[in-house]
Amino acid sequence: SRVLDMGCGIGADARYFASKGHLVEAIDFSEVVIEQSSALSYEGVNFAVVDISQTLPYKSATFDVVYAHLSIHYFSDTVTKKVVDEVSRILKPHARFYFRCKSIDSHEKDDSTEIEPRVYVSNSTGHIRHLFSEDYVRELLHDSFDITKLIENEVEYAGKKAFVIDCWAKKR
């Protein structure tokens, strides 16, 4: 199957998918990260610099799976909806969309300023986070996807507890 790892970072998940026999397109906006990941070359993985907030450079109905681990929560509501529309466009019918994003219950908003509903800018780092709720995910996906799993989890990142939304969805 063909997998798009959207926001692949250093490519650990992409390499895992390839080790299981999938053909993986691993994309990230960071040229540095993609250059470093590409230098390691891994069979079954193609790394590319792509800004997911723009039209994706793939034909419609190309992928069996789109996987986005903590990569779609950096945008305004309008851009987030465009990203999901693009995911729908590039997925084959009945293909899968798996993603994890920070939850509205996450601690990121404690030291942040809300700049639009559920979108916060950190007062200390300037990073933007779009914090998702389960209701927001349902609204975001209702036109093109059936949700098969949607849960909020408490996890640990960099030694700190965080709340995330995990979603598994099937394209109609």
Side-chain angles (χ1 to χ4, degrees):
S1 65
R2 294 203 57 202
V3 175
L4 177 65
D5 184 352
M6 186 184 302
C8 66
I10 60 171
D13 293 330
R15 290 190 300 276
Y16 172 79
F17 295 140
S19 76
K20 299 300 179 187
H22 303 286
L23 296 175
V24 182
E25 186 77 13
I27 62 174
D28 202 288
F29 77 97
S30 171
E31 291 180 26
V32 172
V33 168
I34 293 299
E35 185 177 302
Q36 291 171 347
S37 298
S38 296
L40 299 174
S41 75
Y42 198 85
E43 187 175 339
V45 180
N46 180 54
F47 290 98
V49 176
V50 175
D51 180 349
I52 67 170
S53 70
Q54 303 299 312
T55 301
L56 298 174
Y58 307 106
K59 293 180 181 177
S60 296
T62 296
F63 293 97
D64 301 290
V65 173
V66 171
Y67 171 80
H69 183 251
L70 299 175
S71 61
I72 65 170
H73 61 209
Y74 294 103
F75 309 106
S76 68
D77 182 58
T78 301
V79 173
T80 300
K81 288 176 179 174
K82 288 180 186 175
V83 170
V84 170
D85 288 346
E86 275 297 286
V87 168
S88 179
R89 181 186 67 77
I90 64 171
L91 279 172
K92 296 174 182 175
H94 311 294
R96 304 294 178 154
F97 180 27
Y98 301 106
F99 67 87
R100 169 175 277 183
C101 53
K102 294 288 180 89
S103 165
I104 193 68
D105 295 324
S106 193
H107 302 293
E108 269 90 358
K109 69 181 183 184
D110 295 345
D111 179 40
S112 300
T113 302
E114 190 172 23
I115 57 174
E116 68 176 70
R118 297 176 308 278
V119 179
Y120 296 82
V121 62
S122 169
N123 296 329
S124 56
T125 66
H127 291 143
I128 294 175
R129 291 286 191 281
H130 187 164
L131 303 177
F132 289 28
S133 67
E134 290 181 16
D135 286 341
Y136 179 71
V137 171
R138 286 186 194 94
E139 174 191 325
L140 192 61
L141 301 182
H142 84 275
D143 287 341
S144 302
F145 294 92
D146 292 320
I147 296 171
T148 55
K149 183 176 184 179
L150 179 62
I151 56 172
E152 182 178 58
N153 285 309
E154 185 176 18
V155 297
E156 191 171 309
Y157 283 108
K160 295 180 181 178
K161 290 187 177 189
F163 290 95
V164 296
I165 299 287
D166 289 320
C167 181
W168 299 4
K170 181 178 175 184
K171 184 180 172 187
R172 286 190 203 103

